[in-house]
Amino acid sequence: MSDSENKKIKGLFNMGDFGNYFVRVFQKPDPNQKSNYNLRMMHGINKISIVVFLLAIIFWIVKRFI
C-alpha cells in the first residue's frame, strides 16, 4: 500500500477533537491544570452517559441476533 492510500484509510477513522474527547474523559486529570467542581461533575456525568450508551448498544445487538 502506498503512503497516500494509508493516509486515506487513516482519514476515514479520524474523529478529530470529537473522538479525542472520549479518550480524554476517561483519563486522570492533569494535576497542574486548575479544575473546579462543575467541570468534574460534567465529566463524571459524561462518563456515566458513555458507559450506559455502550451497554445499551451491546444489549441491543445481543437481543437482535440471539
Side-chain angles (χ1 to χ4, degrees), residues 39-61:
L39 186 62
R40 288 193 316 254
M41 289 299 108
M42 180 192 72
H43 286 297
I45 291 169
N46 286 348
K47 288 177 190 179
I48 293 168
S49 300
I50 291 168
V51 169
V52 168
F53 175 75
L54 291 175
L55 288 173
I57 293 293
I58 291 168
F59 177 77
W60 180 79
I61 289 171

Side-chain angles (χ1 to χ4, degrees), residues 12-34:
L12 292 174
F13 295 102
N14 185 9
M15 294 288 287
D17 293 334
F18 178 74
N20 289 336
Y21 175 77
F22 290 106
V23 174
R24 282 193 327 249
V25 79
F26 288 102
Q27 292 177 347
K28 293 281 184 191
D30 185 13
N32 298 329
Q33 189 176 11
K34 187 177 178 181

